[in-house]
Amino acid sequence: MPTILVVDDEINLRSLYASELQDQGYRVITAASGYEALRLLDAEPDLVILDIKLEHDNGLEFLRRMKEVRPSLAVILNSGFSTYKDDFTSWLADAYLVKSGNTSELLSKVRELLEARPVG
C-alpha cells in the first residue's frame, strides 16, 4: 500500500486530504510544517502533497530539500495561488495543482503519479 505524506498548515485541508486518500486505500501521514515533513521522510513516503505557502515556511524551499534527500520522490505542489508556477523551483515537482475542496483532480493526479513509479 503506497504511503502519502500530506504537508499543509491548514488542519481542515490536511484532514480532508488524509480522509479522502485513506478512503482510496492509501496509508497517509501528515505534517503541518516543512520541518516536520523533512523528519517524516524517514517513513519513506511514495508521494508528497506539499502546500507552498505554509504558515512559517516556504514550501518551495522544502521541495528543494526533499529532492536533495530523495531525488526520485514524487511531489505534488498544492497551492491556493497559481503564481508560484513561474518560480523555477516549482519545476522540481511532478505536478502543480491549485487547492480545492473538490479532491477529484488531486486523487486523479495521485493515482497517475503512483502508477508511473514503483512503490517503495
Side-chain angles (χ1 to χ4, degrees):
M1 157 183 358
T3 299
I4 299 172
L5 170 58
V6 176
V7 185
D8 200 304
D9 58 336
E10 296 178 46
I11 191 167
N12 292 338
L13 272 178
R14 207 168 53 240
S15 297
L16 171 66
Y17 293 164
S19 175
E20 293 283 329
L21 290 162
Q22 288 167 341
D23 287 349
Q24 297 293 313
Y26 300 111
R27 179 176 171 259
V28 180
I29 51 179
T30 63
S33 72
Y35 293 104
E36 186 179 357
L38 285 175
R39 285 192 304 272
L40 289 171
L41 286 183
D42 290 340
E44 298 198 4
D46 300 292
L47 182 140
V48 175
I49 299 169
L50 176 62
D51 185 10
I52 294 175
K53 193 161 174 55
L54 298 164
E55 185 174 1
H56 300 290
D57 303 326
N58 178 340
L60 293 176
E61 174 62 24
F62 286 97
L63 168 62
R64 187 186 60 73
R65 289 173 157 185
M66 286 178 191
K67 287 293 194 169
E68 286 175 357
V69 174
R70 296 216 13 233
S72 64
L73 180 64
V75 178
I76 297 173
L77 285 178
N78 194 45
S79 176
F81 307 95
S82 62
T83 56
Y84 287 102
K85 283 184 179 182
D86 297 333
D87 187 309
F88 289 127
T89 306
S90 72
W91 297 5
L92 291 171
D94 298 273
Y96 188 111
L97 300 176
V98 176
K99 281 185 185 182
S100 171
N102 179 345
T103 60
S104 60
E105 184 180 16
L106 178 66
L107 293 173
S108 175
K109 186 54 72 174
V110 165
R111 266 191 307 279
E112 175 187 324
L113 290 173
L114 289 175
E115 287 173 1
R117 295 168 185 260
V119 175

